[in-house]
Amino acid sequence: MNEATISEPTAQDEHARSSRMPTVAIWLSAAALVLCALLVVPYRALASLAIVSVFVLAAAAGITGIVLGLRARRPGSARGGWALVCALVSLLIGVVLAIIFVVGMISATSLNKVELRGQGPEGMSATMDHDTTPRTETWPAEGWAKFNTKGSWAELTLEAPEDAVSQSVSCQIIWNGEVVIDETSIGTVTCRYDAG
């Protein structure tokens, strides 16, 4: 019966493993930098200091991983482990940013884009209502409001000022880019749309 022999790693095995680590770190760092560069465009709209600092951290870790990886390839250098750590940190940040972006895109598609428009005499009263508490404000002759909602309905009521109650007032509701309601009346008009 043959017994399996377990051999201790040789110096040559250790050298081969340690010489691969910097190369792996360089490639992982490069991949992380590419991922961060691709994610800059969708995140650019946020322009938040927190997001910018996360990108700076990811880029710094990626660049550090490349620099340490290149230095570790020199004979007698022992920076391969740190190069790999920096590369993995950079890649992890890039992957987390990508996941957040994808989740954000999925949740944004469930929102309805609503635009309320109204025309009439200057200083008309506009009462808007949807998933939140109704709000009333004074609108100019050509007024509008835009918002996103998870709800399925919206309402706009326009009332001409007392000195213009005999004038024509009109309103429109645009739901996800499509005009769904267009009403005109004298003095007061209400537009209500329920997609549900």
Side-chain angles (χ1 to χ4, degrees):
M1 203 152 112
N2 286 343
E3 280 189 33
T5 58
I6 300 173
S7 63
E8 294 293 320
T10 64
Q12 188 177 18
D13 293 336
E14 285 293 321
H15 177 69
R17 187 175 62 82
S18 67
S19 67
R20 282 192 301 259
M21 196 180 322
T23 304
V24 169
I26 291 169
W27 281 105
L28 286 176
S29 295
L33 288 173
V34 168
L35 180 60
C36 284
L38 292 174
L39 289 171
V40 165
V41 174
Y43 276 101
R44 208 173 120 219
L46 298 177
S48 163
L49 187 59
I51 290 294
V52 170
S53 61
V54 169
F55 273 102
V56 168
L57 178 65
I63 291 168
T64 303
I66 289 175
V67 169
L68 290 178
L70 290 173
R71 284 187 171 186
R73 293 177 76 175
R74 294 182 190 156
S77 178
R79 290 188 175 93
W82 285 111
L84 193 57
V85 168
C86 289
L88 290 174
V89 166
S90 180
L91 192 59
L92 179 67
I93 293 171
V95 168
V96 167
L97 287 172
I99 290 169
I100 291 170
F101 175 71
V102 169
V103 168
M105 289 299 293
I106 290 170
S107 67
T109 58
S110 65
L111 292 176
N112 294 305
K113 294 175 177 62
V114 181
E115 183 175 350
L116 306 174
R117 293 183 186 170
Q119 301 83 30
E122 191 73 32
M124 56 187 164
S125 170
T127 302
M128 297 164 277
D129 196 2
H130 56 98
D131 294 342
T132 61
T133 306
R135 125 179 152 222
T136 302
E137 55 189 52
T138 303
W139 272 16
E142 297 272 333
W144 59 271
K146 288 184 181 181
F147 56 89
N148 295 327
T149 181
K150 287 188 176 187
S152 63
W153 66 278
E155 182 175 297
L156 171 64
T157 300
L158 297 174
E159 295 179 28
E162 288 183 22
D163 61 344
V165 291
S166 61
Q167 292 188 21
S168 176
V169 182
S170 61
C171 61
Q172 299 83 35
I173 296 179
I174 300 160
W175 195 269
N176 292 326
E178 179 184 343
V179 177
V180 292
I181 300 290
D182 189 353
E183 300 285 339
T184 302
S185 185
I186 302 296
T188 301
V189 67
T190 297
C191 287
R192 179 174 172 80
Y193 178 69
D194 192 343

